[in-house]
Amino acid sequence: MSDEQNLPVVHSAKDLRISFPEKNKHISEKEAEKNRCLVKSNGAYTNDGRAYIDKSALPHLLATDKKGANRFFNNLEDEDKLELGNQNLASVSSVNKELSERIQEPRDTLQKERLRDSEACVNAFRDAPELEKIREVEESKNRKEQPKLKAKKIKAENITACELTRAPLDPDADAHHIERQADKPRKARDLKNIVVANKPPHREVHAAGAETPEELSALCAEKGWNDPTKS
């Protein structure tokens, strides 16, 4: 589903071939089957291969109650949740992190086995072959688009000056990723994550290790540069 604000299209995990593991032998058939049904019926994914779980499935999967699930969801960073009308989705990466934390806590042994089964089911969804294929395609697009990003950014925003120093843009200026492609590959082709900068200031950015929006912003303040993270 999507809306006019360009929210992502979301697809149901029911469409995927999920190879769920054998149930955890320490929990009941009923609990194990519920984990699998909840992941299958409440899982969702976006066109770039990112997987999510609907908040309604979290009380059982996290071995908590609705209040605990709401607290977990409300504390998530914006990039780890999607709120689409009546559908509230938490990223599988955030659910996995929470499951890992809960498994490591001093909890009832049977409850921890339930959590381990939930974790295995969530991972099976994450690793569905259709999602892996989508991610492979996205990686290929990232590689192919890299040489074109500078020209694309310049054309889209009519850039004539270095976005850091505001000096006239040199012909050999670089396209700099605010958040590194190695860390945020989903942002590799996002023009909002690209800064067109002349080579000297670009080298200074890397020499200073300013590889996050916060670090780049601090360097710009120190140098008296324009801060592209605030534009």
Side-chain angles (χ1 to χ4, degrees), residues 2-231:
S2 63
D3 63 18
E4 59 189 17
Q5 296 180 334
N6 295 318
L7 291 172
V9 176
V10 172
H11 310 275
S12 172
K14 294 176 183 177
D15 304 330
L16 304 175
R17 291 170 293 147
I18 303 175
S19 298
F20 287 114
E22 298 262 345
K23 85 167 188 70
N24 187 304
K25 64 182 180 180
H26 300 294
I27 67 175
S28 70
E29 291 281 353
K30 183 177 179 180
E31 286 182 320
E33 183 60 25
K34 187 170 183 179
N35 278 342
R36 286 148 184 78
C37 287
L38 283 173
V39 170
K40 188 79 171 178
S41 60
N42 291 276
Y45 66 96
T46 53
N47 286 341
D48 63 354
R50 196 162 195 212
Y52 293 85
I53 300 288
D54 193 282
K55 186 176 72 170
S56 63
L58 295 179
H60 185 82
L61 294 176
L62 297 179
T64 186
D65 54 15
K66 185 178 287 188
K67 185 176 181 180
N70 285 336
R71 183 180 297 114
F72 161 73
F73 185 83
N74 293 335
N75 287 337
L76 291 177
E77 299 290 338
D78 287 345
E79 66 179 13
D80 275 320
K81 59 185 176 183
L82 286 178
E83 296 175 282
L84 307 173
N86 295 325
Q87 195 174 24
N88 295 311
L89 304 168
S91 71
V92 157
S93 57
S94 68
V95 174
N96 251 331
K97 181 179 178 181
E98 181 69 12
L99 283 166
S100 179
E101 290 290 340
R102 287 172 177 262
I103 288 168
Q104 296 175 72
E105 291 171 346
R107 294 178 177 272
D108 172 80
T109 300
L110 184 56
Q111 189 180 67
K112 289 174 76 170
E113 295 303 326
R114 282 183 56 196
L115 289 165
R116 287 192 175 96
D117 192 67
S118 293
E119 182 181 50
C121 291
V122 169
N123 285 340
F125 165 40
R126 179 199 64 195
D127 297 337
E130 295 91 341
L131 297 188
E132 284 296 298
K133 184 62 178 178
I134 291 171
R135 293 164 191 148
E136 289 173 8
V137 170
E138 286 296 300
E139 191 277 333
S140 178
K141 288 180 181 177
N142 284 348
R143 280 187 285 109
K144 290 179 180 178
E145 289 292 320
Q146 288 313 298
K148 307 173 186 176
L149 285 175
K150 183 179 77 169
K152 193 173 180 180
K153 173 85 171 184
I154 290 172
K155 182 177 180 180
E157 300 181 18
N158 194 28
I159 295 170
T160 58
C162 172
E163 291 192 279
L164 295 175
T165 65
R166 292 304 189 194
L169 193 65
D170 295 333
D172 63 348
D174 296 326
H176 170 74
H177 286 85
I178 296 174
E179 296 189 78
R180 298 192 311 165
Q181 184 175 348
D183 298 327
K184 299 285 185 179
R186 284 194 176 87
K187 293 186 176 182
R189 307 193 311 273
D190 183 354
L191 295 185
K192 294 178 182 177
N193 190 45
I194 300 295
V195 174
V196 179
N198 289 334
K199 287 190 179 298
H202 188 205
R203 284 195 292 267
E204 288 190 65
V205 170
H206 285 286
E211 297 169 343
T212 68
E214 295 76 18
E215 291 167 349
L216 181 58
S217 183
L219 181 64
C220 288
E222 177 187 330
K223 295 286 187 178
W225 293 344
N226 174 64
D227 186 348
T229 70
K230 299 186 184 304
S231 57

